[in-house]
């Protein structure tokens, strides 16, 4: 998936409003942030295969260190521990860990059977990417729900808070919609180098989020009712 991961990060802000959106986006896209590093390091491989599915020309032949279920559980624990420590909240850390785990679950829906359960183990995938309309409906609906949740949780402090968020959404949707008709990349190295651009997304999301505030009452503990009289 692509915008589905962004949607998960936006929803996480509503679930735990103290979660910085930049950190949430980094966690939601986390496996795809480390994937090009493993490609460039020769630890994982991807193959250019036009028509591999209707939605992508890439065949994900070997990516157990970034995308196997067992490793993702480990990456989720790392995100939860490190994120909670840096932000100073175990609840936020748990939210970030859950976002890393959500990446594998959403990819399970989108990918054909190529997601390993463990390195060298069986592969899984439900194949949403075999249908371009189906992908647009499912991920588009997720993004709409995520955006509604985020806007219900935050409000812009200034024009940057509105325009930066809108720009991130427009850019993300444009890349996503163009994917089925994009020409095959020239090489696996080109795929890895271009995928490094995903590191822009947490920075962009964090910039937008810093220019937005929680709406009144959001994240405020409910008042404790007074004890009943005798």
């Amino acid at each position: 998936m692509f915008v589905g991961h962004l949607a998960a990060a936006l929803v996480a802000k509503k679930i735990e409003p103290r979660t910085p959106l930049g950190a949430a986006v980094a966690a939601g896209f986390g496996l795809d942030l480390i994937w090009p590093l493993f490609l460039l390091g020769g630890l994982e491989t991807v193959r250019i295969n036009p028509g591999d599915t209707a939605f992508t020309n890439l065949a994900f032949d070997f990516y157990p260190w970034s995308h196997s279920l067992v490793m993702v559980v480990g990456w989720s624990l790392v995100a939860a521990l490190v994120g909670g420590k840096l932000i100073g909240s175990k609840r936020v850390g748990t939210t970030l860990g859950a976002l890393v785990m959500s990446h594998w679950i959403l990819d399970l829906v989108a990918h054909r059977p190529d997601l390993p359960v463990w390195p060298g183990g069986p592969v899984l995938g439900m194949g949403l990417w075999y249908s371009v309309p189906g992908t647009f409906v499912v991920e588009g609906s997720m993004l709409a729900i995520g955006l509604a949740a985020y806007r219900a949780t935050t409000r812009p402090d200034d024009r940057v808070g509105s325009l930066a968020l809108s720009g991130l959404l427009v850019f993300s949707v444009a890349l996503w919609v163009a994917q089925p008709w994009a020409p095959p990349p020239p090489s696996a190295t080109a795929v890895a180098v271009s995928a490094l651009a995903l590191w822009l997304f947490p920075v962009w999301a964090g910039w937008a989020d810093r220019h937005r505030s929680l709406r009144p009452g959001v994240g405020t503990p409910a008042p404790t009712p007074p004890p009943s009289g005798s």
Side-chain angles (χ1 to χ4, degrees):
M1 281 200 176
F2 184 63
V3 297
H5 299 314
L6 178 59
L10 293 168
V11 169
K13 183 75 173 184
K14 183 173 181 61
I15 295 173
E16 176 44 72
R18 292 173 296 175
T19 306
L21 185 62
V25 170
F29 281 101
L31 307 185
D32 288 344
L33 296 181
I34 61 176
W35 175 64
L37 303 178
F38 287 135
L39 287 178
L40 292 172
L43 298 175
E44 298 188 341
T45 60
V46 67
R47 178 167 46 91
I48 313 303
N49 184 33
D52 189 77
T53 63
F55 206 79
T56 180
N57 293 314
L58 301 180
F60 301 94
D61 290 335
F62 186 76
Y63 57 158
W65 311 116
S66 63
H67 278 75
S68 72
L69 176 58
V70 169
M71 290 300 299
V72 172
V73 170
W75 294 126
S76 299
L77 292 174
V78 170
L81 292 172
V82 174
K85 184 71 173 179
L86 292 177
I87 298 173
S89 167
K90 290 183 179 179
R91 184 176 171 87
V92 171
T94 300
T95 301
L96 297 177
L99 279 168
V100 173
M101 192 68 239
S102 78
H103 187 115
W104 194 89
I105 295 170
L106 294 177
D107 277 3
L108 177 67
V109 174
H111 283 232
R112 65 172 175 80
D114 61 22
L115 283 165
V117 177
W118 59 80
V123 293
L124 302 174
M126 298 171 65
L128 178 63
W129 277 348
Y130 285 124
S131 170
V132 172
T135 300
F136 283 156
V137 169
V138 172
E139 283 202 76
S141 299
M142 291 175 60
L143 184 60
I145 292 170
L147 179 59
Y150 181 72
R151 284 180 168 167
T153 305
T154 69
R155 62 183 180 182
D157 295 329
D158 50 32
R159 285 178 59 84
V160 173
S162 295
L163 295 178
L165 177 64
S166 297
L168 174 62
L169 292 167
V170 169
F171 183 63
S172 301
V173 170
L175 290 178
W176 172 61
V177 169
Q179 187 171 339
W181 296 279
S187 66
T189 299
V191 172
V193 171
S194 62
L196 290 173
L198 284 175
W199 285 87
L200 171 65
F201 281 68
V203 176
W204 195 337
W207 175 46
D209 197 49
R210 286 192 296 273
H211 288 267
R212 300 180 70 92
S213 300
L214 296 179
R215 292 189 180 275
V218 172
T220 303
T224 304
S228 58
S230 56

